[in-house]
Amino acid sequence: MSVSPTRRALVIGASRGLGLVLAGELAARGWGVVATARRDAGALRAAADASGGRLEVELLEMTSAGELAALRERLTGRRLDLLFVNAAIDRGDLPIDEVPTEVFTEVMVTNALSPLRALEALRVLVAPGGTVAVMSSEQGSVSLNTEGGYELYKASKAALNQLMRSYATRHGDDGHTKLLIDPGHNRTRLGGPDAPLDPRESIPAVVDVLEARAGDPGLQFLDRHGDRVPW
């Protein structure tokens, strides 16, 4: 007999990498999880099949306002304890003056604009006292930007952080916990094969932070240890 989960989460961007491990970790801890993938959901569907019904898959192109609205309609009536947006792309390490305009636009739309659109479209599903979180990076910290490289990616994460600040100001009275999470430099398609962290080790720490900070209203920028990351 299946047991109805007492906590429910929606993870946006879980087809691979950090999002896939995050969805699996939440399900393993007994959460009921809806996780989205763009089109290729093979690994995520395999995880869902092995989850005992705790993990469901939805297809979503996060950059599409229409698809966000359709997902909200499909999930109407559900109450989420956690809405987590995990999405980012990287288009190489060029000085900003060499980045083509269309690439700049693509990265900013995917990494900064679309996560906030997703929050705005789906926040109505989050229960009072629930958590709204976005995967960020210490590379979005302006004060920590003391080394060269990856200028566009850094700018997109700084923009994400600033937009999340605006979101938190606009919705300051909703009682939601709001988190920007820096998971560290992980071995993913984005982080590269030489990154020092394994998502299977770092993501459980991230979930520890999500669970520990639940019910603590306001916005915080935290790393996987729960320590504050400077803006």
Side-chain angles (χ1 to χ4, degrees):
M1 181 178 66
S2 63
V3 178
S4 178
T6 58
R7 297 175 294 180
R8 298 185 181 277
L10 171 59
V11 179
I12 305 295
S15 61
R16 61 176 184 267
L18 298 178
L20 177 62
V21 179
L22 175 63
E25 178 66 20
L26 289 167
R29 296 190 188 200
W31 288 67
V33 182
V34 177
T36 76
R38 293 178 63 197
R39 295 292 177 264
D40 180 9
L44 183 58
R45 290 198 186 280
D49 290 343
S51 72
R54 291 187 298 273
L55 177 59
E56 303 172 48
V57 179
E58 288 277 357
L59 295 181
L60 173 72
E61 171 51 69
M62 186 186 65
T63 62
S64 166
E67 290 198 22
L68 285 169
L71 177 63
R72 182 183 62 225
E73 289 302 311
R74 292 197 298 274
L75 298 180
T76 295
R78 302 202 193 189
R79 274 294 170 261
L80 302 174
D81 300 287
L82 171 65
L83 167 59
F84 197 110
V85 179
N86 169 68
I89 60 173
D90 174 26
R91 292 295 183 254
D93 184 14
L94 291 174
I96 198 65
D97 62 301
E98 297 179 16
V99 174
T101 300
E102 61 273 16
V103 173
F104 181 90
T105 301
E106 178 193 21
V107 171
M108 284 294 185
V109 167
T110 301
N111 292 5
L113 177 60
S114 294
L116 269 297
R117 282 180 170 171
L119 295 188
E120 293 288 3
L122 300 166
R123 62 182 298 276
V124 67
L125 302 173
V126 180
T131 298
V132 172
V134 181
M135 197 75 85
S136 186
S137 169
E138 72 167 20
Q139 293 197 69
S141 167
V142 174
S143 60
L144 292 181
N145 185 13
T146 58
E147 297 181 2
Y150 295 94
E151 295 176 21
L152 176 55
Y153 181 78
K154 290 176 179 178
S156 72
K157 287 298 187 180
L160 171 68
N161 293 351
Q162 185 73 291
L163 290 171
M164 191 64 176
R165 278 275 202 177
S166 297
Y167 173 94
T169 300
R170 191 169 351 104
H171 299 298
D173 60 352
D174 64 5
H176 290 161
T177 299
K178 303 173 183 74
L179 298 173
L180 287 159
I181 298 292
D182 166 31
H185 188 188
N186 284 267
R187 290 190 291 276
T188 63
R189 182 180 297 183
L190 183 66
D194 298 324
L197 298 175
D198 185 332
R200 292 169 296 181
E201 298 172 354
S202 60
I203 289 300
V206 167
V207 177
D208 288 343
V209 172
L210 295 173
E211 293 182 335
R213 297 289 177 167
D216 186 7
L219 175 63
Q220 298 180 76
F221 185 12
L222 305 175
D223 66 15
R224 69 187 184 282
H225 305 297
D227 296 328
R228 294 182 183 274
V229 181
W231 295 92

Coordinates of all heavy atoms in Angstrom, one line a residue, residues 90-127:
D90 N 25.3 27.4 -20.5 CA 26.6 28.1 -20.6 C 27.0 28.0 -22.1 O 27.0 26.9 -22.6 CB 27.7 27.4 -19.7 CG 29.0 28.0 -19.9 OD1 29.1 29.2 -20.3 OD2 30.0 27.3 -19.6
R91 N 27.4 29.1 -22.6 CA 27.8 29.1 -24.1 C 29.2 29.5 -24.3 O 29.6 30.2 -25.2 CB 26.8 30.0 -24.8 CG 25.4 29.5 -24.9 CD 25.3 28.2 -25.7 NE 24.0 27.7 -25.9 CZ 23.5 26.7 -25.3 NH1 24.2 26.1 -24.4 NH2 22.2 26.3 -25.5
G92 N 30.1 29.0 -23.4 CA 31.5 29.1 -23.6 C 32.1 30.3 -22.8 O 31.4 31.1 -22.2
D93 N 33.4 30.4 -22.9 CA 34.2 31.3 -22.1 C 34.8 32.4 -23.0 O 36.0 32.3 -23.4 CB 35.3 30.6 -21.3 CG 36.1 31.5 -20.4 OD1 35.6 32.7 -20.2 OD2 37.1 31.1 -19.9
L94 N 33.9 33.4 -23.4 CA 34.4 34.4 -24.3 C 34.4 35.8 -23.5 O 33.5 36.0 -22.6 CB 33.5 34.6 -25.5 CG 33.5 33.5 -26.5 CD1 32.4 33.8 -27.6 CD2 34.9 33.4 -27.2
P95 N 35.3 36.7 -23.8 CA 35.2 38.0 -23.2 C 33.8 38.6 -23.7 O 33.4 38.3 -24.8 CB 36.3 38.8 -23.8 CG 37.3 37.7 -24.2 CD 36.5 36.5 -24.6
I96 N 33.2 39.4 -22.9 CA 31.8 39.9 -23.2 C 31.7 40.6 -24.5 O 30.7 40.5 -25.2 CB 31.3 40.7 -22.0 CG1 29.8 40.8 -22.1 CG2 32.0 42.1 -22.0 CD1 29.1 39.5 -21.9
D97 N 32.8 41.3 -25.0 CA 32.7 42.0 -26.2 C 32.7 41.0 -27.4 O 32.4 41.5 -28.6 CB 33.9 43.0 -26.3 CG 35.2 42.3 -26.3 OD1 35.5 41.6 -25.3 OD2 36.0 42.5 -27.3
E98 N 33.1 39.8 -27.2 CA 33.1 38.8 -28.3 C 31.9 37.9 -28.3 O 31.7 37.0 -29.2 CB 34.4 37.9 -28.2 CG 35.7 38.7 -28.3 CD 36.9 37.8 -28.2 OE1 36.7 36.6 -28.3 OE2 38.0 38.4 -28.0
V99 N 31.0 38.1 -27.4 CA 29.8 37.3 -27.3 C 28.7 37.8 -28.3 O 28.4 39.0 -28.3 CB 29.2 37.3 -25.9 CG1 27.8 36.6 -25.9 CG2 30.1 36.7 -24.9
P100 N 28.3 36.9 -29.2 CA 27.3 37.4 -30.2 C 26.0 37.8 -29.5 O 25.6 37.2 -28.4 CB 27.0 36.1 -31.1 CG 28.3 35.3 -30.9 CD 28.7 35.5 -29.5
T101 N 25.3 38.7 -30.0 CA 24.1 39.3 -29.4 C 23.1 38.2 -29.1 O 22.4 38.1 -28.1 CB 23.5 40.4 -30.2 OG1 24.4 41.4 -30.4 CG2 22.2 40.9 -29.6
E102 N 22.9 37.3 -30.1 CA 21.9 36.2 -30.0 C 22.3 35.2 -28.9 O 21.4 34.7 -28.2 CB 21.7 35.5 -31.3 CG 22.9 34.7 -31.8 CD 23.8 35.6 -32.7 OE1 23.7 36.8 -32.7 OE2 24.6 35.0 -33.5
V103 N 23.6 35.0 -28.6 CA 24.0 34.1 -27.6 C 23.8 34.8 -26.2 O 23.3 34.2 -25.2 CB 25.5 33.7 -27.7 CG1 26.0 33.0 -26.5 CG2 25.6 32.9 -29.0
F104 N 24.1 36.1 -26.1 CA 23.8 36.9 -24.9 C 22.3 36.8 -24.5 O 22.0 36.5 -23.4 CB 24.2 38.3 -25.1 CG 24.0 39.2 -23.9 CD1 25.0 39.4 -23.0 CD2 22.8 39.8 -23.7 CE1 24.8 40.2 -21.8 CE2 22.6 40.6 -22.6 CZ 23.6 40.8 -21.6
T105 N 21.5 37.0 -25.5 CA 20.1 36.9 -25.3 C 19.6 35.5 -24.8 O 18.8 35.4 -23.9 CB 19.3 37.3 -26.6 OG1 19.7 38.6 -27.0 CG2 17.8 37.3 -26.3
E106 N 20.1 34.5 -25.5 CA 19.7 33.1 -25.1 C 20.1 32.8 -23.7 O 19.3 32.3 -22.9 CB 20.4 32.1 -26.1 CG 20.1 30.7 -25.7 CD 21.0 29.7 -26.4 OE1 22.1 30.1 -26.9 OE2 20.6 28.5 -26.6
V107 N 21.3 33.2 -23.3 CA 21.8 32.8 -21.9 C 21.0 33.7 -20.9 O 20.5 33.1 -19.8 CB 23.3 33.1 -21.8 CG1 23.7 33.0 -20.3 CG2 24.0 32.1 -22.6
M108 N 20.8 34.9 -21.1 CA 20.0 35.7 -20.2 C 18.6 35.3 -20.1 O 18.0 35.3 -19.0 CB 20.1 37.2 -20.6 CG 21.4 37.9 -20.3 SD 21.7 38.0 -18.5 CE 23.2 38.9 -18.5
V109 N 18.0 35.0 -21.2 CA 16.6 34.5 -21.1 C 16.5 33.2 -20.4 O 15.5 33.0 -19.5 CB 16.0 34.3 -22.6 CG1 14.7 33.6 -22.6 CG2 15.8 35.7 -23.2
T110 N 17.4 32.3 -20.6 CA 17.3 31.0 -19.9 C 17.7 31.0 -18.5 O 17.0 30.5 -17.6 CB 18.2 30.0 -20.7 OG1 17.8 29.9 -22.0 CG2 18.2 28.6 -20.0
N111 N 18.8 31.8 -18.2 CA 19.3 31.7 -16.8 C 18.7 32.7 -15.9 O 18.7 32.5 -14.6 CB 20.8 32.0 -16.9 CG 21.6 30.8 -17.5 OD1 21.0 29.9 -18.0 ND2 22.9 30.9 -17.5
A112 N 18.2 33.8 -16.4 CA 17.7 34.9 -15.5 C 16.2 35.2 -15.7 O 15.4 35.1 -14.7 CB 18.5 36.2 -15.7
L113 N 15.8 35.5 -16.9 CA 14.4 35.8 -17.1 C 13.4 34.6 -16.9 O 12.4 34.8 -16.2 CB 14.2 36.4 -18.6 CG 12.8 36.7 -19.0 CD1 12.2 37.8 -18.1 CD2 12.8 37.2 -20.5
S114 N 13.7 33.5 -17.5 CA 12.8 32.4 -17.5 C 12.6 31.8 -16.0 O 11.4 31.5 -15.7 CB 13.2 31.3 -18.4 OG 13.1 31.8 -19.8
P115 N 13.6 31.7 -15.2 CA 13.3 31.2 -13.8 C 12.3 32.1 -13.1 O 11.5 31.6 -12.4 CB 14.7 31.2 -13.2 CG 15.6 31.0 -14.3 CD 15.0 31.8 -15.5
L116 N 12.4 33.4 -13.3 CA 11.5 34.3 -12.6 C 10.1 34.2 -13.2 O 9.1 34.3 -12.5 CB 12.1 35.7 -12.6 CG 13.0 36.1 -11.4 CD1 12.2 36.0 -10.1 CD2 14.2 35.2 -11.3
R117 N 10.0 34.1 -14.5 CA 8.7 33.8 -15.1 C 8.1 32.6 -14.5 O 6.9 32.5 -14.3 CB 8.8 33.8 -16.6 CG 9.0 35.1 -17.3 CD 9.1 34.9 -18.8 NE 9.0 36.2 -19.5 CZ 9.2 36.3 -20.8 NH1 9.6 35.3 -21.5 NH2 9.1 37.5 -21.4
A118 N 8.9 31.5 -14.3 CA 8.4 30.3 -13.8 C 7.9 30.5 -12.4 O 6.8 30.0 -12.0 CB 9.5 29.2 -13.8
L119 N 8.6 31.2 -11.6 CA 8.2 31.5 -10.2 C 6.8 32.2 -10.2 O 5.9 31.9 -9.4 CB 9.2 32.3 -9.4 CG 10.6 31.6 -9.1 CD1 11.4 32.5 -8.2 CD2 10.4 30.2 -8.6
E120 N 6.8 33.3 -11.0 CA 5.5 34.0 -11.1 C 4.3 33.2 -11.5 O 3.2 33.4 -11.0 CB 5.7 35.3 -12.0 CG 6.7 36.3 -11.5 CD 6.2 37.1 -10.3 OE1 5.1 36.8 -9.8 OE2 6.9 38.0 -9.8
A121 N 4.6 32.3 -12.5 CA 3.5 31.5 -13.0 C 3.0 30.4 -12.1 O 1.8 30.1 -12.1 CB 3.9 30.9 -14.3
L122 N 3.9 29.9 -11.2 CA 3.6 28.8 -10.4 C 3.5 29.0 -8.9 O 3.2 28.1 -8.2 CB 4.7 27.7 -10.7 CG 4.8 27.2 -12.2 CD1 6.1 26.4 -12.4 CD2 3.6 26.4 -12.6
R123 N 3.9 30.2 -8.5 CA 3.9 30.5 -7.0 C 2.5 30.3 -6.4 O 2.4 30.1 -5.2 CB 4.4 31.9 -6.8 CG 3.6 33.0 -7.4 CD 4.2 34.4 -7.1 NE 4.3 34.7 -5.7 CZ 3.3 35.2 -5.0 NH1 2.1 35.5 -5.6 NH2 3.4 35.4 -3.7
V124 N 1.5 30.4 -7.2 CA 0.1 30.3 -6.6 C -0.1 28.9 -6.1 O -1.0 28.7 -5.3 CB -0.9 30.6 -7.7 CG1 -0.9 29.6 -8.8 CG2 -2.3 30.7 -7.1
L125 N 0.7 27.9 -6.5 CA 0.6 26.5 -6.1 C 1.3 26.3 -4.7 O 1.1 25.3 -4.1 CB 1.2 25.6 -7.1 CG 0.6 25.6 -8.5 CD1 1.4 24.7 -9.5 CD2 -0.9 25.2 -8.5
V126 N 2.1 27.2 -4.3 CA 2.9 27.1 -3.1 C 2.1 27.4 -1.9 O 1.5 28.4 -1.8 CB 4.2 27.9 -3.1 CG1 5.0 27.7 -1.9 CG2 5.0 27.6 -4.4
A127 N 2.1 26.5 -0.9 CA 1.3 26.6 0.3 C 1.8 27.7 1.1 O 3.0 28.1 1.1 CB 1.3 25.3 1.0

